[in-house]
Amino acid sequence: MSKALRMRLGLIFFLVIVMYGLVVLKLFKLQVVDATELSERALYQRLRIDTITPERGDILDRNGKILAESIPTPAVYADPSVIKDPKTTAEKLAPVLEMSEERLYELLTRPGSFVWLTRDLPIGKRSKIENLNLRGIRIVSLPRRYYPEGTLAASTIGIAGIDNQGLEGIEVTYERYLAGEPGVSTVEKDPAGREIPVGFTSKSLPQNGVTLYLTIDAVIQHIAEREIEKAVISSNAKKGILLAMDPKTGEILALAEYPSFDPNNFAEYPLSIRKNWSITESFEPGSTFKVFVAAAAIEEGVINPSTEVFDPPTYTVGDRVIRCASIWGHGHETFLEALERSCNPVFAKLAAEDMDHEVLYKYLRAFGFGQKTGIDFIGEASGILAPVENLSKVSWANIGFGQGIAVTPLQLVTAMSAIANDGYLVTPSLVKSYKENGKIISRDKSNSGRQVISESTANTIKMMLRSVVVNGSGQRAEIAGFPVGGKTGTAQIPVAGGYSEDDMVVSFLGFAPIDDPQIVALVAIFEPQTDSNYGGVLAAPVFKEFTSAALQYTGVRTRVHEGGSIAVPNLTGMTRDMAVKELTKLGLRVNAKGEGAKVSSQEPLPGFFVEPNTTVTLFCALQEQRETPRFIGLSLAEAQSVALSRGINIKINGSKTDGIVASQKPAAGQILGSDEYVELTIISQ
């Protein structure tokens, strides 16, 4: 053998040995080093891992009435890998599923071993599909959200999607409680997809979602929805809100909005209908906001109910002219009367000139304006209250009567609850408790609140709001047996460049019974189309009907006793002697204070029910006397300016737009009482 041949044979032998060694090393790696990993990978190729969907927790009202639950619903899926004739399968199945054959064929020929055909099969069609006995077609039961009360509290409860996940409202806010924890099922199968009898199996059971108990009472909610629907339809309004709260706990008893929607078919409604306006949207409140400006002023000692104020026809600050609802203004009056009559100039001046802006801002923030209330509901709005350094004198004048600030309906109700709750502001809530593993667990009830104003100031405001209902713009809210306190509101809607002359938000914000408030409620009607678009005309009666029914349903004791309680009459403006006679005739005692001849204010306020022999205090302040100025020869504008500067009420005869004063009564130099006016006759120039 030649040397060259021997070298070639040696090289070949060497290469064979190396290759053999590599094979041995590879086999060693596969059989020894990677044996465990490869074994697991092989096993996983044979394993079918499925998620076991947990049952979503129910949502109940405070008394256990089911408002949302999950019910088993047939669903159909296909395993395309085992379907031999997809065209024939599609032809037979399409009529039952009400799908086109082309669409069904496309699904049945997809790669893989799983595809949904429908997840919401009508129960009556289940047997039809089973009778077809189609290879690769399976029917399973999936939980589907169902709302047995339909539209009741729909915007609060919200909706859940087809995958049983929360999308809106309480459903998404409490998703981690309601959804539960899914389980896992693992089964070892052969290449044909059949379960191996002695193969690996494992199952971990799902943990179902908890059951939530809302603070809402389904009966009170039904009453609220009935009343607000009637109000919106009768006034041809755009929408309406009725929100009711327990002022001591912050629990929402009813949150009604109209128009509403059916969460069982939520896809048929736009988001604008489904959203919860009371929590997620804000508006300019108008005169209801005067309550909180008054509370801050009284708490700071700037003013009190019997303080004499002056309400002119107009109040000018900067380039802003603020008008009284009365074309002539109300002239000299008490601060209580200014609230009863809802005098814009008085409250504009109070906020713009009489109060320290930093101090007033502090109280508005303390009442919760310009910030979230903290309610357990996703998407809560903060409203709009500009930083104090950005607010001009004109801005403060607007805020004084509820313009230039935006609040949510929930913020208004929460702030009024602080007044009804002796000055303590509580955090509102929608969930009262939840049930887990068969045990009901109450939510933290340490909601004593923080003090915004003193109890004394809260009681003063309550008495003033009672007088608004008895003597002022809120008379249509009065409920026999349940004395009401509250405030009306009629607010223009902001538009580009100013405010709409036609579109309004009319409202009533109040509580009852006034001696121990059980319900604080807001009625707001947006853009009504009637001849009398005023809060006292449209919203106050809705408050009356709702609150009366709700209080009777909850068993609150009527304030009219069989023993003969007495309603305190309105004595303001009466002479001292007449007031004493009136009270004595009713069987009440009298404590008259002051040297004046007439009653300027009283305690208790008019309309309060008291027992016989209760003492009524009369405050009789001396009336200011002034000398009548000379108006003859002045222009109408000059005469109005003189009257305004001296706090004198005037009555105009003749031209009310232009001209000069031809005569006056009483004559110049005569003494004029604070409750008297000067009559001017105007002739055109």
Side-chain angles (χ1 to χ4, degrees), residues 61-63 65 67 149 152 215-227 253-254 546 549-554:
D61 87 331
R62 65 188 299 120
N63 299 314
K65 186 177 186 63
L67 303 178
E149 297 299 318
L152 192 76
T215 61
I216 285 176
D217 186 303
V219 175
I220 298 178
Q221 177 73 24
H222 173 76
I223 296 170
E225 293 190 2
R226 179 189 68 198
E227 296 303 326
L253 302 175
F546 163 74
L551 290 174
Q552 292 181 58
Y553 160 73
T554 54

Side-chain angles (χ1 to χ4, degrees), residues 347-348 351-353 356-358 360-362 364 385 388 391-401 403:
F347 283 87
E353 298 184 27
D356 181 284
H357 295 164
E358 294 275 357
L360 179 53
Y361 191 87
K362 179 191 72 174
L364 297 185
L385 175 59
V388 65
L391 294 173
S392 65
K393 188 176 180 180
V394 173
S395 300
W396 280 111
N398 290 334
I399 287 173
F401 63 97
Q403 282 190 353

Side-chain angles (χ1 to χ4, degrees), residues 234-313:
S234 64
S235 64
N236 195 26
K238 179 179 179 181
K239 64 182 180 182
I241 291 170
L242 202 166
L243 175 60
M245 177 190 291
D246 182 334
K248 298 179 179 65
T249 64
E251 294 180 352
I252 303 297
L253 302 175
L255 199 166
E257 300 177 341
Y258 185 84
S260 186
F261 71 99
D262 184 353
N264 293 305
N265 303 296
F266 66 86
E268 299 176 5
Y269 300 84
L271 179 60
S272 59
I273 296 293
R274 302 201 309 264
K275 68 169 55 178
N276 192 304
W277 312 318
S278 298
I279 299 176
T280 64
E281 298 294 314
S282 56
F283 70 107
E284 291 197 3
S287 292
T288 54
F289 198 75
K290 294 171 181 173
V291 175
F292 311 107
V293 175
I298 291 175
E299 179 75 7
E300 286 296 306
V302 173
I303 206 166
N304 63 63
S306 60
T307 300
E308 185 178 279
V309 296
F310 182 73
D311 179 45

Side-chain angles (χ1 to χ4, degrees), residues 78-82 107-115:
D79 182 353
S81 64
V82 299
L107 292 174
L108 297 178
T109 55
R110 285 184 177 180
S113 59
F114 182 89
V115 61

Side-chain angles (χ1 to χ4, degrees), residues 542-564:
V542 181
F543 175 93
K544 173 183 178 178
E545 295 300 320
F546 163 74
T547 306
S548 176
L551 290 174
Q552 292 181 58
Y553 160 73
T554 54
V556 176
R557 176 180 57 84
T558 178
R559 268 46 181 174
V560 180
H561 305 295
E562 293 182 1

